[in-house]
Amino acid sequence: GSELAEHELDAVHALYLDTFDRKGNTAALSRDFFSLIRERMTGQLHVALARSTTRIVAVAVFFSGGGTL
């Protein structure tokens, strides 16, 4: 997570917003939230990106701590 570039973090947040919108829900986490967890949870934030050529098309965000994922 901590090695994500700003443009990748923008894509993570955009996909997060799109998912909530498509499901008819309201997203609660701001773009700033994603920046803060990247900065403050180094080593605990993990992000899997799926790309189509160079474009990020899917994302999974998960956390680890205490020996568990």
Side-chain angles (χ1 to χ4, degrees):
S2 62
E3 59 279 341
L4 285 174
E6 285 298 315
H7 74 277
E8 292 172 320
L9 205 52
D10 289 340
V12 167
H13 187 249
L15 287 165
Y16 162 76
L17 293 176
D18 180 62
T19 298
F20 273 78
D21 186 54
R22 283 186 294 108
K23 300 295 182 181
N25 294 308
T26 302
L29 305 176
S30 69
R31 171 60 172 82
D32 287 341
F33 171 83
F34 285 93
S35 290
L36 286 171
I37 61 172
R38 178 184 61 181
E39 293 169 18
R40 296 182 184 175
M41 298 186 77
T42 303
Q44 295 172 293
L45 170 65
H46 307 277
V47 178
L49 302 174
R51 298 179 190 266
S52 175
T53 57
T54 59
R55 186 172 151 252
I56 298 170
V57 296
V59 62
V61 177
F62 47 101
F63 303 90
S64 63
T68 61
L69 186 59

